[in-house]
Amino acid sequence: MTATRPDIVFSVCLLSRYMAAPTRLHMLAAKRVLRYLKGTLTHGIWYKKKGGGSLVGYTDSDYAGDLDDRKSTSGYVFFLSGGAVSWSSKKQPVVTLSTTEAEFVAAAGCATQCVWLRRVLEQMGWNTSVQEGTKIYCDNNSAIKLSKNHVLHGRSKHIDVRFHYLRELVKDGTVELVHCGTTHQIADIMTKADKNETFEFLRDQLRVRKLEEVAAIRKV
């Protein structure tokens, strides 16, 4: 289901952490996800007919959201032809010491996926979509500055070497981190449970819409 419904990725990934020993609370949460799916059977991702456009990504992270081990959750989503083509919600492998570090780790994971997507698009002949550096939107200015600063200091010297791969990608122009407002951070839906209004807004930004709505737009 998560392969075609990015709007449920966070809930499913969160529940999967407790598959070894689920409780009644987890079962109730799973049933709620199923009820949501039953009420949105006609929803799907809407893509532009002619395709094209540039590959664009969004990356986000919560901070110490897992109350068991205090690890953060990374999330990203990539868009092409007007709709989401790749997305993820995953608990980070390390405990981060600040929101900046959590966002930096999330951006590093997003950047590695970006490199893979660019190679796939090149092999498919979609060179126009990856001619320039891929823009990845992040809502944390400190993480963006850290990706451009190649001097190790107190805020970054303890970060694992693998996450500094992001700096190399920014330096050679493969990836361009761009700041965006928190309210327009689409990847937020991959990292935490939002209010109904926020969830529906972000779901719409993912281009997950009813078939009836898409048909009505095409007629206009």
Side-chain angles (χ1 to χ4, degrees):
M1 257 307 180
T2 56
T4 57
R5 294 294 298 271
D7 50 328
I8 64 168
V9 169
F10 172 72
S11 299
V12 173
C13 291
L14 181 61
L15 286 169
S16 66
R17 300 175 190 176
Y18 304 95
M19 289 179 61
T23 64
R24 182 175 179 275
L25 183 63
H26 300 131
M27 296 301 295
L28 292 174
K31 287 182 178 179
R32 184 172 182 178
V33 174
L34 293 175
R35 286 197 299 270
Y36 169 75
L37 287 174
K38 184 178 179 179
T40 57
L41 288 176
T42 59
H43 283 61
I45 304 176
W46 180 29
Y47 298 99
K48 293 180 180 179
K49 185 177 181 180
K50 294 184 179 180
S54 299
L55 181 68
V56 178
Y58 289 82
T59 176
D60 195 25
S61 171
D62 71 344
Y63 179 61
D66 193 313
L67 299 180
D68 296 327
D69 54 16
R70 307 308 294 179
K71 291 182 179 179
S72 305
T73 299
S74 297
Y76 66 73
V77 57
F78 284 92
F79 289 85
L80 189 65
S81 297
V85 294
S86 178
W87 51 83
S88 172
S89 175
K90 185 178 181 181
K91 185 163 70 171
Q92 295 180 358
V94 295
V95 177
T96 52
L97 303 181
S98 65
T99 54
T100 297
E101 185 179 345
E103 294 277 2
F104 186 80
V105 171
C110 179
T112 56
Q113 178 69 5
C114 176
V115 172
W116 180 79
L117 286 173
R118 287 172 63 90
R119 290 174 180 171
V120 171
L121 290 173
E122 288 175 354
Q123 292 175 3
M124 293 173 60
W126 286 42
N127 297 321
T128 55
S129 300
V130 292
Q131 282 182 342
E132 300 178 353
T134 301
K135 289 185 178 180
I136 297 179
Y137 290 91
C138 175
D139 60 3
N140 189 289
N141 272 318
S142 297
I144 295 174
K145 293 177 181 178
L146 186 60
S147 70
K148 299 176 181 179
N149 184 2
H150 293 267
V151 179
L152 292 176
H153 49 73
R155 297 179 64 182
S156 63
K157 64 183 181 181
H158 62 282
I159 300 177
D160 200 328
V161 175
R162 56 180 163 164
F163 300 122
H164 288 292
Y165 175 57
L166 172 63
R167 289 179 169 179
E168 294 299 318
L169 296 177
V170 172
K171 183 180 179 181
D172 64 22
T174 302
V175 168
E176 179 187 359
L177 282 184
V178 181
H179 182 263
C180 71
T182 302
T183 55
H184 298 285
Q185 177 52 269
I186 303 176
D188 184 69
I189 198 174
M190 305 289 174
T191 63
K192 62 179 73 72
D194 294 306
K195 296 180 179 178
N196 287 340
E197 297 80 5
T198 304
F199 176 81
E200 291 177 358
F201 170 76
L202 294 175
R203 184 182 65 186
D204 187 66
Q205 295 300 304
L206 288 171
R207 308 284 281 188
V208 176
R209 298 179 180 177
K210 291 182 180 179
L211 294 177
E212 296 85 352
E213 293 179 1
V214 175
I217 293 174
R218 287 179 175 175
K219 289 180 180 179
V220 176

